Amino acid sequence: MMSVKDQANALNNSATRPNAKENATHLLKDVKNAVETIEVQDRKALYLLKCEDCEYIIQGKPIKISIESCKNLTIKVEGKVLTGTVDIWKSESINLDFDRSVSVFQLDSIQTITIKMPEAEYFGSMIWAGVDNITLNLGDETHSLSYSHLQTRNPALRPDTDQFKTTIVDSSLKTEAIVRMDNGYPMTRAEESSLQASEKKKDEVLRGAPKADDE
């Protein structure tokens, strides 16, 4: 029987892979009941699809990590995620342990996820929707979040459309609703107000600057 590592190598090296995007991906698909250490080549993205009851130690420097439709998955990431991006969606019972910082977690439609990081400073931000039972272990502090809890305070929330952004502000975890800018960039109301104030100040400075003819 081919090992999980050999399956991954076969997928990565297959001549039938249709495009460059797939050739740049270390893919683990339909794997069950595996306990493996995976070495991800630099400049490859790690993509786990429909994996169940698996435990992985990830070494190397993946560009990013994507997890889709997985269940009972435990991953310890020992290397640096080069873009600092981790995407997870349509999954259940996910446990992640990082040795290095992550800039942004993007979570969607997940039932139960635990994210562990050595220090709160390693945590950048988390954009999420439709996720229940989030546990953030940041150093010695543990934080719990849940979409269903937010819905009890605002029943009009929809898990398929309403997103939230969780960040650390003044040493405290803060979760705010997201609005989308015209260019699609996700931003909270506070960030939008700060940006507008900054742009207004810049505009006032520019309008107050002397014209070349007046010099």
Side-chain angles (χ1 to χ4, degrees):
M1 181 179 293
M2 185 181 292
S3 71
V4 173
K5 187 179 293 186
D6 289 337
Q7 292 178 46
N9 289 337
L11 285 167
N12 288 327
N13 297 326
S14 172
T16 62
R17 304 197 71 179
N19 55 48
K21 182 178 180 180
E22 289 193 2
N23 286 330
T25 302
H26 189 122
L27 176 65
L28 297 173
K29 181 180 179 182
D30 295 322
V31 182
K32 299 183 187 301
N33 302 304
V35 179
E36 293 273 349
T37 296
I38 304 295
E39 179 75 27
V40 180
Q41 296 180 19
D42 291 357
R43 314 208 71 77
K44 275 183 176 278
L46 176 63
Y47 185 12
L48 296 98
L49 174 63
K50 298 180 180 178
C51 297
E52 292 188 18
D53 303 312
C54 295
E55 296 183 19
Y56 292 117
I57 296 175
I58 306 301
Q59 297 178 341
K61 296 179 181 179
I63 291 178
K64 66 179 293 186
I65 296 176
S66 299
I67 299 172
E68 178 185 1
S69 300
C70 292
K71 184 176 181 180
N72 297 329
L73 189 67
T74 297
I75 298 178
K76 180 173 177 56
V77 182
E78 294 184 341
K80 179 179 178 60
V81 181
L82 293 179
T83 63
T85 302
V86 176
D87 297 333
I88 310 170
W89 66 101
K90 296 180 181 178
S91 295
E92 180 180 345
S93 298
I94 306 298
N95 295 281
L96 305 176
D97 186 353
F98 294 87
D99 285 348
R100 308 285 187 89
S101 61
V102 174
S103 300
V104 58
F105 293 93
Q106 299 188 53
L107 313 179
D108 188 19
S109 301
I110 302 170
Q111 179 65 40
T112 308
I113 180 169
T114 298
I115 297 171
K116 182 179 180 181
M117 313 196 82
E119 302 289 343
E121 290 76 11
Y122 285 51
F123 178 82
S125 65
M126 183 172 70
I127 296 173
W128 57 285
V131 183
D132 270 332
N133 302 321
I134 303 172
T135 300
L136 295 177
N137 293 319
L138 307 178
D140 296 329
E141 297 184 357
T142 298
H143 306 272
S144 297
L145 300 166
S146 186
Y147 204 88
S148 58
H149 177 67
L150 295 175
Q151 281 184 312
T152 61
R153 293 187 292 173
N154 184 358
L157 289 177
R158 294 179 53 187
D160 57 335
T161 57
D162 293 306
Q163 289 184 307
F164 291 84
K165 184 175 183 179
T166 298
T167 54
I168 295 177
V169 179
D170 296 329
S171 300
S172 297
L173 204 69
K174 186 174 184 179
T175 297
E176 300 174 277
I178 279 179
V179 294
R180 290 281 173 177
M181 306 301 288
D182 292 339
N183 60 3
Y185 186 80
M187 185 173 289
T188 65
R189 291 291 185 187
E191 290 171 335
E192 182 185 29
S193 297
S194 177
L195 178 63
Q196 290 174 345
S198 177
E199 290 178 343
K200 181 179 179 181
K201 185 175 181 179
K202 288 179 181 178
D203 184 60
E204 290 174 347
V205 170
L206 290 173
R207 284 190 286 108
K211 297 180 180 180
D213 293 343
D214 295 334
E215 295 179 349

